[in-house]
Amino acid sequence: MTTQQLIDQIQQKKSFLAVGLDVDLTKIPQHLLELEDPIFEFNKAIIDATHDLAVAYKPNVAFYEAYGLKGWTSLQKTINYINSTYPDIFTIADAKRGDIGNTSAMYAKAFFEDLNFDSITVAPYMGKDSVEPFLAFKSKHTIMLALTSNEGAFDFQTLNLNGKELYKQVLEISKNWKNSENLMYVVGATKAEYFTEIRKIVPDSFLLVPGVGAQGGSLAEVCKYGMNANVGLLINSSRAIIYASNGTDFADKARTEALKMQQEMEQIMSLKFNV
Amino acid sequence: MTTQQLIDQIQQKKSFLAVGLDVDLTKIPQHLLELEDPIFEFNKAIIDATHDLAVAYKPNVAFYEAYGLKGWTSLQKTINYINSTYPDIFTIADAKRGDIGNTSAMYAKAFFEDLNFDSITVAPYMGKDSVEPFLAFKSKHTIMLALTSNEGAFDFQTLNLNGKELYKQVLEISKNWKNSENLMYVVGATKAEYFTEIRKIVPDSFLLVPGVGAQGGSLAEVCKYGMNANVGLLINSSRAIIYASNGTDFADKARTEALKMQQEMEQIMSLKFNV
């Protein structure tokens, strides 16, 4: 998917919501456990109930790997279902990968070719040659960690390096990498005040924003400081939507929560763009 | 496996060799492709031919993920084969994972419980709460990236922070994390001169050292600056051993290469420890 197609979808749906499919068998409605593939059935129901309100789905790969082969099968079925049923939706493999060049090329092949995700999250620590193999794919997007939503973000990301914090160095240096137009960045909603500084460095890039809801970030604050002329944000919500209910009404309740977020987003967009 | 068991194995085998199982179907002997699971058959032959010369095996998870479900099956069979046939061998899942706490806990479950690896490589960028879920496992080891063997190591890892590089901060700060006695670190052989400084910060920790051989690092140099009283090093070699031949003699040739390295290691140990 091209960046323009993502922007078009955002304008059309008046939403920039990404739903995180972090599926934990201990948290999903127990009646699903009788089915052959409870994780896929759960995802399918959530996707069917929210596809007109969300512009992206983001399975966190760890939750699938934790179930071994069965988990990988569920992940594969989920991405195939989205790609075949709702091909306009942007898909994010939240995998936080990164390794030496030939190894990153293997990860890129796994997620972009075999699974056919539109994007993947990657870690910056190993530098340019660990990320460029992902960037080499046309119409695919590489979402690099910049400033994350967790407490540990303050361990290294905000360390001051010659007067400039590490996460700013990550943003600036990566802008010079080959095919950097395919880069997006992860910036946590829990650090809304940082968006002003971040937008000075990457005014045009899309930012994937976790941490709204369960982790305490504010949608309005993030938009105030982080939105650009193309919106430029994908706000992720996982638990608040997918675990809104653990009864048989889980999909309806997920829709209700997604709708609340979409409506808040529509209002923010109408105020910002007078549409 | 406890650290002491690893040390005992090193003393007994007079080797601190880790063999990297980075299996690429385009590089293995073509006669194996006729078998049902070529990757596993290749690994099994390599392991059988080198298990008395190596103290550790390190499958790079990317190479398995790239083959989807089949790849995961091969990985599972490989780790099961090592654990059941050569239970004294130390196993490393080279996965370079790291995410927010609840997600890292899922990765830890996947690699430590389900697959039953002794250790996993992790990335430091997301800080303490992204690594501590791995450290919580008893008799398991978490091998964190410090200074990697690739060119991109100079993009961020060596950025200077008031006279101290990022990788040194990673070493120092992580020493204070809970269960940090379960931490080891990745330090590339291509940067042998850095080992002196690194040993000032982590004198006792095991260091996993990629980059000897194909990437140009020198075993003697690494040992000169990096070895401690317990050896404290695991030297990884992948391509130079596993792809020593792509004919039917691949396992024999792999043994020949592994033996060369083991003999060099034995000599270094005898000079250092007078044994």
Side-chain angles (χ1 to χ4, degrees):
Chain A
M1 182 179 297
T2 65
T3 307
Q4 190 55 51
Q5 286 171 313
L6 174 60
I7 294 168
D8 291 347
Q9 195 195 168
I10 289 171
Q11 298 298 341
Q12 187 202 321
K13 291 182 174 171
K14 300 187 197 319
S15 167
F16 40 103
L17 174 63
V19 175
L21 300 172
D22 305 353
V23 185
D24 183 334
L25 284 178
T26 65
K27 289 187 183 156
I28 68 173
Q30 297 302 294
H31 72 277
L32 294 176
L33 299 181
E34 295 159 18
L35 302 173
E36 200 194 313
D37 188 342
I39 295 178
F40 171 67
E41 297 298 340
F42 178 80
N43 284 345
K44 184 173 174 298
I46 295 282
I47 293 161
D48 286 339
T50 59
H51 70 95
D52 56 324
L53 306 171
V55 295
Y57 290 102
K58 180 178 78 62
N60 189 316
V61 177
F63 286 75
Y64 300 83
E65 280 191 6
Y67 298 111
L69 285 180
K70 277 196 168 178
W72 270 90
T73 307
S74 304
L75 180 63
Q76 206 161 53
K77 284 163 72 177
T78 300
I79 181 70
N80 289 348
Y81 183 72
I82 299 169
N83 283 338
S84 60
T85 317
Y86 308 109
D88 293 343
I89 297 258
F90 187 72
T91 53
I92 304 164
D94 195 2
K96 302 189 173 71
R97 300 297 196 258
D99 208 313
I100 61 171
N102 71 325
T103 307
S104 275
M106 296 302 267
Y107 280 127
K109 180 182 174 306
F111 288 98
F112 287 159
E113 284 185 359
D114 298 352
L115 290 170
N116 200 15
F117 275 94
D118 292 313
S119 67
I120 184 173
T121 59
V122 303
Y125 192 73
M126 294 182 68
K128 175 174 162 168
D129 55 308
S130 72
V131 179
E132 283 188 344
F134 294 100
L135 296 175
F137 284 74
K138 269 202 172 175
S139 298
K140 299 288 185 181
H141 305 265
T142 305
I143 310 177
M144 193 159 74
L145 299 179
L147 188 62
T148 56
S149 60
N150 62 325
E151 266 186 61
F154 298 109
D155 285 332
F156 305 119
Q157 296 166 25
T158 54
L159 281 181
N160 208 307
L161 296 149
N162 298 331
K164 195 169 285 178
E165 293 99 328
L166 176 60
Y167 76 91
K168 289 187 185 171
Q169 298 268 5
V170 164
L171 293 170
E172 284 191 354
I173 290 171
S174 65
K175 283 168 69 177
N176 300 316
W177 295 348
K178 200 175 173 187
N179 299 312
S180 63
E181 68 277 10
N182 294 336
L183 269 177
M184 301 179 174
Y185 300 94
V186 174
V187 181
T190 44
K191 299 173 179 66
E193 69 271 29
Y194 290 81
F195 277 81
T196 309
E197 292 295 303
I198 288 168
R199 277 301 183 204
K200 287 181 190 162
I201 308 171
V202 287
D204 301 324
S205 303
F206 261 88
L207 307 178
L208 172 64
V209 184
V212 164
Q215 292 178 64
S218 149
L219 175 62
E221 288 288 297
V222 168
C223 292
K224 182 174 168 189
Y225 300 113
M227 205 175 242
N228 66 19
N230 288 319
V231 176
L233 298 171
L234 290 171
I235 305 286
N236 185 73
S237 176
S238 301
R239 288 168 269 182
I241 291 177
I242 69 173
Y243 299 135
S245 158
N246 67 356
T248 52
D249 62 346
F250 72 97
D252 288 345
K253 287 285 158 57
R255 181 176 177 83
T256 305
E257 290 304 313
L259 185 62
K260 272 188 215 164
M261 288 202 69
Q262 183 274 325
Q263 287 174 336
E264 201 181 340
M265 289 172 176
E266 182 168 350
Q267 190 180 26
I268 289 168
M269 285 175 73
S270 75
L271 287 170
K272 170 109 177 174
F273 304 111
N274 298 314
V275 289
Chain B
M1 181 179 297
T2 65
T3 307
Q4 189 56 50
Q5 287 172 312
L6 174 60
I7 294 168
D8 292 346
Q9 196 196 167
I10 289 171
Q11 298 297 343
Q12 186 201 323
K13 292 182 175 172
K14 301 189 198 316
S15 167
F16 40 103
L17 174 63
V19 175
L21 301 172
D22 305 352
V23 185
D24 183 334
L25 284 179
T26 65
K27 289 186 183 157
I28 69 174
Q30 296 303 293
H31 71 278
L32 293 176
L33 299 182
E34 294 159 19
L35 302 173
E36 199 193 317
D37 188 342
I39 295 179
F40 172 67
E41 297 298 340
F42 178 80
N43 284 345
K44 184 173 175 297
I46 295 282
I47 293 162
D48 286 338
T50 58
H51 70 94
D52 56 323
L53 305 172
V55 296
Y57 290 103
K58 181 177 77 62
N60 188 315
V61 178
F63 286 74
Y64 300 83
E65 279 190 6
Y67 298 110
L69 285 178
K70 277 196 167 177
W72 269 91
T73 305
S74 304
L75 180 64
Q76 207 161 53
K77 284 164 72 177
T78 300
I79 180 71
N80 288 347
Y81 183 71
I82 299 170
N83 283 338
S84 60
T85 316
Y86 308 109
D88 293 343
I89 298 258
F90 186 71
T91 53
I92 305 164
D94 195 1
K96 302 192 174 70
R97 299 296 195 258
D99 208 312
I100 61 172
N102 71 325
T103 306
S104 275
M106 296 301 267
Y107 280 127
K109 180 181 174 306
F111 288 99
F112 288 158
E113 285 186 358
D114 297 352
L115 291 169
N116 199 15
F117 275 94
D118 291 313
S119 66
I120 184 174
T121 58
V122 302
Y125 194 73
M126 293 182 69
K128 176 175 162 166
D129 55 311
S130 72
V131 178
E132 283 188 344
F134 295 101
L135 296 174
F137 283 74
K138 270 202 171 176
S139 297
K140 299 287 185 181
H141 305 266
T142 305
I143 310 177
M144 193 159 74
L145 299 179
L147 187 61
T148 56
S149 59
N150 63 325
E151 267 185 59
F154 299 108
D155 285 332
F156 306 119
Q157 297 166 26
T158 54
L159 283 180
N160 207 301
L161 162 78
N162 301 331
K164 196 170 281 177
E165 294 97 329
L166 176 60
Y167 76 92
K168 290 188 184 169
Q169 290 283 340
V170 165
L171 293 170
E172 284 190 355
I173 289 172
S174 64
K175 283 168 69 177
N176 300 317
W177 295 347
K178 200 174 173 188
N179 300 312
S180 63
E181 67 277 9
N182 294 336
L183 268 178
M184 301 179 174
Y185 299 94
V186 174
V187 181
T190 44
K191 299 174 181 65
E193 69 272 28
Y194 290 80
F195 277 82
T196 309
E197 292 295 303
I198 288 168
R199 277 301 183 206
K200 287 182 190 163
I201 307 171
V202 287
D204 301 324
S205 303
F206 261 89
L207 307 178
L208 172 64
V209 184
V212 165
Q215 291 179 66
S218 151
L219 175 61
E221 287 288 296
V222 168
C223 292
K224 181 173 169 190
Y225 300 112
M227 205 175 241
N228 67 19
N230 289 319
V231 176
L233 298 171
L234 291 171
I235 305 286
N236 185 73
S237 177
S238 301
R239 287 168 271 181
I241 292 177
I242 69 173
Y243 299 135
S245 158
N246 67 355
T248 53
D249 62 347
F250 72 98
D252 289 343
K253 286 286 158 58
R255 181 175 176 83
T256 305
E257 291 304 313
L259 186 61
K260 273 188 215 165
M261 288 202 69
Q262 183 275 326
Q263 286 174 338
E264 200 182 341
M265 288 172 176
E266 183 169 349
Q267 191 180 26
I268 289 168
M269 285 174 74
S270 75
L271 286 169
K272 170 110 179 174
F273 303 111
N274 299 315
V275 290

